[in-house]
Amino acid sequence: GENVEQHPSTLSVQEGDSAVIKCTYSDSASNYFPWYKQELGKGPQLIIDIRSNVGEKKDQRIAVTLNKTAKHFSLHITETQPEDSAVYFCAASRSSSNTGKLIFGQGTTLQVKP
Amino acid sequence: DAEITQSPRHKITETGRQVTLACHQTWNHNNMFWYRQDLGHGLRLIHYSYGVQDTNKGEVSDGYSVSRSNTEDLPLTLESAASSQTSVYFCASSRVGETQYFGPGTRLLVL
């Protein structure tokens, strides 16, 4: 079945360093890839997303890259800050249909040490 | 402001009891989803709906049911709660083909 693999499961960086989280998806028809940030005790919040007609998207310190050939996409956080500490989830779906169903990765716990 | 809410935020129940978790959104989104979140499993889809009177099973639907009588609400019912259903439950909603927005979650403990 459809699957999204996310790595690493945990990531610890020093404040100011960059963090990279990688995801691989199995469904070649997937064309929408959101990233969510989940803080302790809260629901996942969308931080950035990318569609298959774009190879890269950036929003301030956050960027996402997509390689459709390899079925691989990544989240890049630059100049990390302690408030970036959270669990990050990648997801994939076929947005062109009305399924809207997201297949989530297992999550990455990011710790930014001051 | 438009939002999505869940109630209760915390619930303790006993094995065998029926439990209903509420989800309400004010965005007028057609699509609504229920997920459970457990350590080591991420977010798993329980049920989803594309509109009034429409419901569909997700990957972990056994023991759960939903009904959609209006656009704003998608209550999740555990027919006979089991300890394996102890989890954190999230509701989400979206427009057709668009981003899903999540509620704050309900933490359920089945004793």
Side-chain angles (χ1 to χ4, degrees):
Chain A
E2 299 156 0
N3 186 49
V4 175
E5 295 288 336
Q6 182 172 347
H7 298 281
S9 56
T10 60
L11 180 59
S12 181
V13 300
Q14 287 295 135
E15 182 177 359
D17 287 350
S18 295
V20 180
I21 303 170
K22 300 180 179 182
C23 289
T24 303
Y25 59 97
S26 61
D27 182 3
S28 57
S30 295
N31 57 9
Y32 175 63
F33 308 92
W35 285 88
Y36 288 86
K37 175 183 180 181
Q38 186 177 25
E39 297 176 338
L40 199 61
K42 297 185 178 181
Q45 300 293 310
L46 179 76
I47 55 171
I48 195 168
D49 57 9
I50 191 168
R51 298 187 185 272
S52 59
N53 58 345
V54 176
E56 183 174 359
K57 184 176 178 180
K58 190 173 182 180
D59 182 4
Q60 298 182 356
R61 297 186 296 108
I62 295 173
V64 58
T65 59
L66 172 65
N67 182 331
K68 284 215 72 178
T69 302
K71 292 191 285 186
H72 172 272
F73 58 112
S74 301
L75 178 72
H76 304 253
I77 306 174
T78 58
E79 300 172 22
T80 54
Q81 301 167 3
E83 52 265 39
D84 293 329
S85 296
V87 180
Y88 291 82
F89 291 96
C90 63
S93 81
R94 303 178 185 182
S95 71
S96 55
S97 71
N98 189 30
T99 66
K101 285 167 50 180
L102 290 172
I103 306 299
F104 283 89
Q106 301 303 308
T108 297
T109 301
L110 174 64
Q111 180 187 28
V112 180
K113 294 182 283 188
Chain B
D1 287 343
E3 61 178 355
I4 181 167
T5 57
Q6 294 184 235
S7 62
R9 295 296 312 279
H10 302 272
K11 175 78 176 177
I12 300 174
T13 191
E14 295 177 343
T15 301
R17 289 190 180 270
Q18 184 181 78
V19 177
T20 297
L21 309 182
C23 175
H24 179 80
Q25 52 95 4
T26 58
W27 284 305
N28 202 35
H29 286 168
N30 285 329
N31 297 348
M32 295 186 73
F33 307 83
W34 272 105
Y35 296 88
R36 62 178 287 174
Q37 185 174 37
D38 306 286
L39 279 174
H41 290 281
L43 289 151
R44 293 183 291 174
L45 184 63
I46 305 171
H47 281 286
Y48 56 101
S49 168
Y50 294 145
V52 176
Q53 302 302 328
D54 176 76
T55 61
N56 306 277
K57 294 181 178 180
E59 63 176 302
V60 290
S61 60
D62 287 349
Y64 303 94
S65 64
V66 293
S67 61
R68 188 89 179 269
S69 59
N70 59 54
T71 301
E72 296 80 16
D73 300 288
L74 186 69
L76 177 71
T77 298
L78 286 68
E79 302 294 343
S80 177
S83 57
S84 60
Q85 294 176 308
T86 292
S87 187
V88 181
Y89 292 86
F90 289 100
C91 178
S93 71
S94 74
R95 295 191 189 283
V96 173
E98 295 295 327
T99 301
Q100 290 185 28
Y101 294 93
F102 284 79
T106 293
R107 193 172 292 271
L108 177 67
L109 175 60
V110 182
L111 299 175

